[in-house]
Amino acid sequence: MGEVDGGEVDGGGRDGGGRDGSEVDGGPEVAHRLVVVTLNTHSFQEGASSLAKLEQIGVGLAQVGADVVGLNEVMAGTFWAYDFGGAQHDGAALIQAALERTSGVPWHLARQGFAHWADGEEMSNVLLSRFPLLETDDAWLTTTDFWPAPGEQRNVLYGRIALPGRGLVNVFVTHTAGYDSVDVPAQIREVRLFMAAKFRRDELLDLLLGDLNAPAGGPLYQAWLESPPFRLFDGFALAAPESFDQPTLVHGTDRIDYVLAGEGLPYGHDPARIRSRRIFDGTAVDGVVLPVVSDHYGVMTTYLLDP
């Protein structure tokens, strides 16, 4: 099971009341929307500025009002490269601390490493939630192509979240192999089967977040969306069809980072209920400019939960 950390304090929706879980206007707090972000952090690849970058990520996520965040390539361990001199750092914990300090509420964290180096460094998939994680789990994926590390085993991370006044949300975070890897078909099948095993048919939303290494519109993308036994819906494509293939690679032409929703209740596939855009791309979100912090841009998708 993935590592879990975080306080046991209910978070709250910004539109529904106090963020400390208090009652507002005579009734319990209700989440009116869910703000979901995915970002490949490319952690500790920037030398001396790496720690500042992780701080920027946490602060920026809080500033845009994120509720649920899936992160890829989050590094932790003992670092010798870039003149760190063997110092120990935990990228996920640093982002979590910046989130908590900026938002003023506890955040809950789960992670599972998928690449390991001999000197003690580990790269992980990470789930951060402003709401309690009722359950976490993970599953290993077929891995015969070893990048970025010899000690690699790709995985999918799972968390079940209680959304105040609304119900339950299943969240899955993964970072699958590169475009041309022979492992990709097996990994797509294994992630989707793991998801299906976790569906209980009582969720408000089922969400898959991450760097899927599948260019928008291509055959791998279609496999993620359409392979049996269920469909997934691309929030970015539904909300911004005119920008369907807007890149999420800073130095590339492909969109490969996604927030996908299952086909249960209509919140995840009704375009009228979805807002989606790139973030951490140097442009302003609600007046806040989020700098480029990785070799990927992030994606933020907001699900509107009221009629």
Side-chain angles (χ1 to χ4, degrees), residues 58 86 127 143 202 217 235:
L127 170 61
T143 307
D202 62 350

Side-chain angles (χ1 to χ4, degrees), residues 253-272:
T253 60
D254 293 325
R255 181 165 69 95
I256 62 173
D257 301 88
Y258 297 98
V259 176
L260 306 179
E263 60 184 342
L265 297 177
Y267 303 111
H269 52 84
D270 178 358

Side-chain angles (χ1 to χ4, degrees), residues 35 47 85 88 93 134 136 147 164 172 189 195 205-206 274 280 304:
V35 180
Q88 291 191 357
L134 304 182
T136 65
W147 182 95
F172 304 84
R189 181 175 63 254
M195 293 177 69
L205 280 167
D206 297 299
I274 301 171
F280 292 111
L304 307 177

Side-chain angles (χ1 to χ4, degrees), residues 9-69:
V9 179
D10 286 349
R14 288 166 306 284
D15 298 331
R19 300 188 68 163
D20 59 357
S22 60
E23 294 193 353
V24 177
D25 296 330
E29 181 181 23
V30 176
H32 294 275
R33 62 178 182 173
L34 185 69
V35 180
V36 183
V37 174
T38 188
L39 176 67
N40 181 323
T41 66
H42 197 236
S43 294
F44 290 103
Q45 303 301 309
E46 296 77 24
S49 63
S50 294
L51 296 177
K53 182 190 85 168
L54 295 169
E55 172 80 9
Q56 286 180 314
I57 291 172
V59 169
L61 290 169
Q63 288 176 327
V64 299
D67 296 308
V68 175
V69 180

Side-chain angles (χ1 to χ4, degrees), residues 178-198:
Y179 301 10
D180 56 354
S181 171
V182 297
D183 295 333
V184 169
Q187 291 179 359
I188 294 174
R189 181 175 63 254
E190 289 160 355
V191 169
R192 290 177 61 89
L193 288 174
F194 180 70
M195 293 177 69
K198 294 297 183 183

